[in-house]
Amino acid sequence: MHWKSGHKSECHKLIASDSPIVNNGNGVQDLTVSKNGLNKATWLEYEIVIEEENGFEWEKSEGNSSSIGTSAIVTKYNKTDEALQSVMDQFEADADKKSWASFEERISRAPEQVLRYCRDATAKPLWPLCSGRPSKAEIPPCRYCKGPLCYEFQIMPQLLYYFGVKNDSNSLDWGTIVVFTCLASCESSRSYKEEFAWVQLYPATSTRPGRLTI
């Protein structure tokens, strides 16, 4: 709808004139979509800058080991007081809290990242929570060749900030969205293929698997 309502012609004008894109902050100026007399606001457009993770002290592990989150907190103190001990006890008792602390420590190296990509059969996603992760049985085979799917990229919760999502009960929300694609990259003749996405939500909601077209 956005493309047909003016985005296409505006992009062509920019290309033809070789003029700079008009910005609103960090995002490209948005257009208002009008259909049947109703105006619908659209999200701003942003440029995604691709950077290698080894620039942020990359670790080969998945980054969800319990030692990362706890050590990042504990090493800041020379001695343990009652308040700190209480926090440590909570992390020991709750796997989700330990996983979240580890997740936050990892993404603090590049807090503006909105997408993590690695097309490697041994790569693993960075999960913010222990609960709500898919088992091997829950990841279906490729619908085209029936071969296995593997992790390719994930969408981070930081993207919600750039979308300007409000913090209320009906707002768009996720912990992370992990996309699994065919390990063999089959059916190369197709322009778009349906792949598998796993949406990990926070405990107040439920985890949703689903298909998407890429």
Side-chain angles (χ1 to χ4, degrees), residues 4 41 83 122 173 197:
K4 293 179 180 178
T122 62
D173 195 18

Side-chain angles (χ1 to χ4, degrees), residues 1 3 7 12 19 33 47 55 62 78 89 101 169 191-192:
M1 186 188 299
W3 180 257
H7 188 153
H12 286 170
S19 60
V33 177
E47 177 186 10
E62 184 177 355
N78 294 323
D89 290 343
S169 59
S191 298
Y192 294 93

